[in-house]
Amino acid sequence: MQELYDTQAPNPPSRAILVGVKLRDALMHETEESLQELRQLTETAGIEVVCETIQSRNVPNPTYFIGEGKVEELKDVAAELEADAVIFDEELSPAQTRNIENMLDIATVDRTGLILQVFAQRALTSEARLQVALAQLEYALPRLTRMWTHLSRIATSGGSGSGALRGPGETQLEMDRRWVRRQISQVKKALETVEKRRQVQRQNRSEKIKVSLVGYTNAGKSTLFNTLTGENVLAEDKLFATLDSTTRRVNLPENQNILLSDTVGFIKKLPHQLVAAFKATLEEVTEADLLLHVVDISHPEAEAQIAAVDTVLQELDASDIPMVMVFNKIDQLEKEDQLHILKARYPEAISISAQRGDGIETLTETLAQRFASHGAMLNLSIPYTDGKALDMLYKHGTVLGTEYAEDAVHVKARLPGRYLKSVLQFSVKDTETPSYN
């Protein structure tokens, strides 16, 4: 499919100053930790951090978010350190962004814009690029300024250029806005096709047990997914290594099987544009029978990250789905105190190391016990002439044992209620059922 929109800007900044703001009700250590995460995001985006600063304010300045004197100070620092961007650890209004850019004469990026930039770089599939494009376009529409060079490059490159459509007295900014609105419409149409395809996929596996991995970005979800499925999806020690959901079958003890989905990681202040744009992907979460909430227990802000994930789940209307807490990276714990504190809060949490394999057996046994009663238990004797019934059992149920007799195959299986009618004619009493292999 031809790309509707190039999600990566042609000349991204290379050297940035990071700005944190401690507001009246915030704690300094929380502000510092958030700024550290902003540094990780910045470095993930391939931008060098040349300076960090925090300003304390009771409330944001409506014109610059920070004080005007601080902006003047940043101008001198940017010139001295040859910075070509200033990145704020908050979401700026379009007016604040324009005012700061006019004062500093360098690109001004807020936390949301930076996260979108990281997503743009990590999007590998056409679906992920479409979802990122929609979020970027909707974020950009009210923020088009003289610093916005991305659109003009595309608009003048032929094909979808808007120059020929320029009306009488129409400014470049008005052209850009019209171009963005048209692109939003086209991307939404393309995503509707993606959503329909996903709906068909979900319907085809509607009777299977569905489990989704959720958690803060870089908590180790993809590593756990690989460990449980034997797959080799990308698992890096970076923020947002996974943007596309991947679903695979996992065999549990007692011959049970589930469908396990790896999903995009969450983050504090996750842009609402991304939650909306990734609706099709995140529906793997909302459709799940169970969520495995993976927590990096070695992270100093593990408790705050749990809260951030819970906030996003509430936004997705997924907070009522049953959940099992999984404390990952126990092999990286420097002190046991945090594990004990969170274990007291979540006594049923399972401690693992997805990397080393510690606790994986306990996790799979817990899942097996959780789903032991999913569907009706049956003992069946199916004639060899009725292969369709046996195929249906393997497709929609969980086959726990088989024994091949002279005229029929004896099967012990668990089957969802909606399929019972098609096999009840083959049902036999327990006393008539032989031992299964």
Side-chain angles (χ1 to χ4, degrees), residues 4 23 52 160 179 218 250 308 341 373 379:
L4 294 173
L23 298 176
E52 295 179 10
S160 61
W179 184 90
N218 206 30
V250 175
I341 292 170
S373 60
N379 288 308

Side-chain angles (χ1 to χ4, degrees), residues 116-259:
L116 290 173
Q117 188 169 332
V118 171
F119 266 60
Q121 293 175 350
R122 309 297 282 181
L124 300 178
T125 66
S126 58
E127 179 182 348
R129 286 195 292 270
L130 281 170
Q131 291 172 316
V132 171
L134 179 59
Q136 284 184 318
L137 288 162
E138 292 186 333
Y139 172 78
L141 186 57
R143 291 174 170 81
L144 300 181
T145 69
R146 64 186 178 84
M147 306 299 293
W148 187 265
T149 58
H150 189 182
L151 291 178
S152 58
R153 177 178 70 96
I154 299 172
T156 58
S157 64
S160 61
S162 57
L165 301 175
R166 186 167 180 170
E170 189 176 33
T171 65
Q172 181 65 46
L173 185 57
E174 289 167 339
M175 285 172 54
D176 287 346
R177 284 174 178 158
R178 189 151 55 86
W179 184 90
V180 170
R181 290 190 184 100
R182 190 166 63 248
Q183 288 294 101
I184 287 174
S185 177
Q186 292 180 37
V187 172
K188 281 184 174 179
K189 286 180 182 177
L191 278 173
E192 285 175 6
T193 303
V194 171
E195 289 186 25
K196 287 177 182 176
R197 186 173 68 243
R198 282 193 174 275
Q199 285 173 1
V200 171
Q201 290 173 344
R202 279 193 291 271
Q203 287 171 358
N204 289 339
R205 56 184 190 233
S206 60
E207 288 301 325
K208 292 292 186 181
I209 302 171
K210 297 177 288 293
V211 177
S212 283
L213 297 170
V214 298
Y216 209 77
T217 181
N218 206 30
K221 296 183 300 300
S222 295
T223 302
L224 177 57
F225 181 85
N226 289 339
T227 300
L228 291 174
T229 64
E231 291 287 321
N232 191 30
V233 301
L234 181 66
E236 294 182 288
D237 187 18
K238 289 183 178 180
L239 303 182
F240 301 115
T242 301
L243 295 189
D244 295 284
S245 67
T246 304
T247 301
R248 295 290 185 271
R249 191 170 75 170
V250 175
N251 293 318
L252 299 176
E254 303 298 327
N255 275 349
Q256 296 164 292
N257 59 73
I258 61 172
L259 293 176

